[in-house]
Amino acid sequence: MKQANQIPRMLVEPFSTEARSPKTVRIDSDLVIVGGGLAGTCAGITAARAGITVTLVQDRPVLGGNASSEVRLWALGATSHMNNNNRWAREGGVIDELLVENMYRNREGNSLIFDTILLEKVVEEPNLTLLLNTAAVHVSKRDGETIESVSAFCSQNSTQYELFAPLFCDASGDGIVAFQAGGAFRMGAEASDEFGEKFAPSEEYGYLLGHSIYFYSKDIGAPVKFVPPSYALEDITQIPRFRSFNTATDGCRLWWIEYGGRLDTVHETETIKWQLWKVVYGVWNYIKNSGEFPDAETLTLEWVGHIPGKRESRRFEGDAMMIQQDIIEQRHHYDAISFGGWSIDLHPADGVFSERPGCDQWHAKGVYQVPYRSQYSKNIRNLFIAGRIMSASHVAFGSTRVMLTLASAAQAVGMAAAHCIEHGLLPRDIAQPGRIELLQRDLQRVGQYIPQFKLEDSEDLVQTAAIRASSKLCLDALPDNGPHLPLQRPYAQMLPLQRGRVPGMTIRVDADEATTLDVQLRISSRRDNYSPDTILKKLRVDLPAGDNQAVELDFNQLIDDSRYAFVCVMANPFVRLHLSEHRVTGLLALQYRRTQLSRHDIGVESFEFWTPPRRPAGQNVAFELSQPINGFDARNIGNGLARPTSAVNAWVAEVDDPAPKLDIHWTYPQSISQITLMFDSDFDHAMETSLRGHPESVMPFTVKRYRLGDGNGRVFAEVADNHQTINQIRFDEPIETDRLRVEVLEMQGDAPAAIFALHCYA
């Protein structure tokens, strides 16, 4: 059978005096996205799932940008390796789906596997056309403020694509489409007096972040020599921190091998790359041949990046530009569509050759909102700006630039594009009151978390139902069945308290000698934050020498609203604190890590960092309460908040419930076409995508197996091996019922059954 486009056995083309044109293919779609990093990928998937046609153009052979196997940087966002006070802050929606899937298949952190997951998710979308190895080269405009088409060329199939759409999204990193279209942009750092940003850098520090190239080493078990290329850096002492290099650290842990902050990071990228190659091969020569690292004898250089990971170049202007105060003050935006939480992380422009530390990081006390108006051009009417070209000052960019923050915001671009197509609108129109609320609603429906916003959804049938559960957790104790932790550093238990009197608490300790134990009851000065910066009560308890002592803590305090409190057991080298192996949705234990001491002139605050040790450590404190903590009710599944905030916001069953179930009742039968369930995939876990491994492939709080039915023997659906946060059950024909039962049949771990949200739609 003759295949399409099959050429004859022999092709002979006569000489032509005219220049030949490449094969040209026209593609029409609703949305063209240029750039296949995590931002462009998440925007594309979101838009395609929302029902519009998308063309995704990527100039590399794989998706993922800096998170791909070509660069191999771990993808991070507001969780910041779990090293800040942003609890339950992993991004939601499509990017969460990708991270959870990567954890399930690839907890070792192999970037090649992450490549396959990104590609799989994209090619599974029937509304999405993917063009790899295809670079946008030219923009055509319909008028001064409107893009008509983008021309792109694929070097692998020698084909030029003419891409037409009513809407475009530039997620290319350097802003090739926005630049050619004439959009207003900035490059460098604003002066401190333009926006009142006190952290604006000086000329000595520099106004741009540079690029990095990583390398991996491998022990092959036999001696291997290394002959450096002629271009390798010869004098390793040119790098002020050269003594920091060792045989154990490679990959993106060497993020500070950075260069280019004093060059044009758009047009001099190849120059920067060559300098980074010189550094990397010079570093490896130093490790292999200096004689200072005998254990390097059997190490080989397994991989060196071929393209640099780029941090900063152009930033385009939207109707809103994020600034330092948006981050530090956690300012409210009516059009918030996502959030960030990475530190304001600026680097010296001289990078690896700087005498300064590799970064200057300052955190806010909690996460901040990202406004929708920062995601489209203020000049080009049909252009979204996603990824690191989003509208932000240089200082704010120091935080917004990380991949998961950008991917989360870009999901809003994809959904907004679908709204534009459905209603014949342009990006700016979506920012108007009455329309932005619909965008926020539809984002939250698919798992996007927007701080200070809850899902208001009149179409959700659960809102009119009566909800009952087989049991609910009444938290009165956690058993004393875990390790005994030496109190070298303070340790704290977070408790989701409701308005009223703080219950008395009994903990257990061992004391090597007679001593005193200090305990503090703390809250955060901001209700939805998790920085324990306000001390409500201090207790001092005299301890005799001895093991398994019960310590009764009577705080005698009132809490004026539902919020998390922190019972902080302060450091004492003679005391061991009893912990519990029981883990429960919405409970976390923290350890004091360090204190951020702000310089008074840079516009940031001083405060303590209390962070959870990673599993298998980080057990909760073993305790008993004088009164149980409620707040794990079944009605939480419809409260519009699908992760802990100032409360647990989940239904949690009793630990010993043999058959946990939810029953949803209506007064008359409902026609249901779709059911969405949102489970606990541990939003506090950072889920780094590469290099750094993880102890589990599935989160212990997640429902593994469940059944949907009416409770009378009629089964609507059954899922046998779930590991994802969100499950959407769609029925070919609507089901008619006045009762829905959710039976939890098995958990991924030994945590009690928990569900954050359940939505039903006609």
Side-chain angles (χ1 to χ4, degrees), residues 126-149:
N127 286 336
L128 199 157
T129 299
L130 174 62
L131 303 177
L132 294 175
N133 294 306
T134 303
V137 294
H138 180 70
V139 172
S140 296
K141 298 174 74 173
R142 183 178 310 124
D143 55 49
E145 298 179 338
T146 310
I147 298 172
E148 181 174 41
S149 65

Side-chain angles (χ1 to χ4, degrees), residues 481-683:
N481 61 1
H484 297 179
L485 177 75
L487 284 172
Q488 300 300 322
R489 289 188 287 166
Y491 204 76
Q493 179 64 51
M494 295 178 64
L495 295 175
L497 299 183
Q498 295 181 306
R499 180 179 180 179
R501 188 166 300 279
V502 176
M505 185 176 186
T506 301
I507 60 175
R508 293 191 171 271
V509 300
D510 306 327
D512 293 334
E513 61 180 57
T515 186
T516 57
L517 183 66
D518 291 317
V519 181
Q520 298 177 1
L521 177 67
R522 300 190 185 191
I523 59 173
S524 175
S525 56
R526 187 164 175 154
R527 183 167 173 255
D528 282 351
N529 280 358
Y530 306 105
S531 292
D533 55 357
T534 302
I535 300 175
L536 296 182
K537 189 70 174 285
K538 293 182 179 180
L539 299 177
R540 174 163 286 183
V541 180
D542 292 325
L543 294 178
D547 292 343
N548 198 26
Q549 300 185 53
V551 178
E552 296 184 1
L553 306 173
D554 184 7
F555 295 111
N556 193 29
Q557 290 289 308
L558 292 173
I559 298 290
D560 59 2
D561 207 347
S562 297
R563 66 192 308 152
Y564 274 89
F566 306 78
V567 178
C568 304
V569 186
M570 308 311 286
N572 187 319
F574 306 111
V575 176
R576 293 178 299 279
L577 178 64
H578 290 209
L579 305 182
S580 177
E581 292 292 351
H582 275 44
R583 300 190 187 272
V584 178
T585 289
L587 290 190
L588 274 177
L590 313 174
Q591 196 162 38
Y592 168 78
R593 179 177 294 271
R594 65 181 179 88
T595 299
Q596 174 172 287
L597 294 173
S598 168
R599 302 191 297 270
H600 71 279
D601 59 341
I602 62 171
V604 299
E605 297 181 79
S606 297
F607 60 96
E608 295 176 349
F609 287 71
W610 292 69
T611 65
R614 289 188 179 232
R615 290 192 295 274
Q619 289 89 351
N620 290 305
V621 176
F623 62 79
E624 298 174 5
L625 299 175
S626 60
Q627 295 291 330
I629 295 174
N630 291 302
F632 302 88
D633 299 343
R635 62 177 177 269
N636 288 342
I637 66 167
N639 74 359
L641 295 166
R643 67 175 65 199
T645 54
S646 56
V648 173
N649 297 321
W651 165 63
V652 182
E654 280 283 8
V655 175
D656 57 358
D657 187 338
K661 62 181 70 69
L662 283 173
D663 282 309
I664 296 120
H665 293 262
W666 292 275
T667 55
Y668 54 88
Q670 305 292 313
S671 177
I672 301 173
S673 296
Q674 177 181 315
I675 299 172
T676 300
L677 298 107
M678 298 184 179
F679 298 115
D680 183 2
S681 61
D682 188 6
F683 285 113

Side-chain angles (χ1 to χ4, degrees), residues 80-125:
S80 188
H81 291 297
M82 298 162 60
N83 289 342
N84 60 16
N85 289 345
N86 299 339
R87 303 279 62 83
W88 296 292
R90 196 178 70 246
E91 293 71 16
V94 172
I95 192 59
D96 172 68
E97 177 184 337
L98 295 170
L99 294 173
V100 172
E101 193 63 32
N102 187 63
M103 182 70 64
Y104 181 65
R105 304 185 194 183
N106 181 34
R107 68 184 179 95
E108 299 79 17
N110 184 334
S111 295
L112 292 167
I113 303 301
F114 191 51
D115 285 349
T116 68
I117 293 169
L118 296 178
L119 288 166
E120 175 185 272
K121 293 293 184 180
V122 166
V123 300
E124 284 180 344
E125 294 300 327

Side-chain angles (χ1 to χ4, degrees), residues 190-206:
E190 291 79 6
S192 61
D193 59 359
E194 181 171 1
F195 299 120
E197 296 175 306
K198 295 182 179 181
F199 193 36
S202 64
E203 183 175 354
E204 179 188 4
Y205 196 81

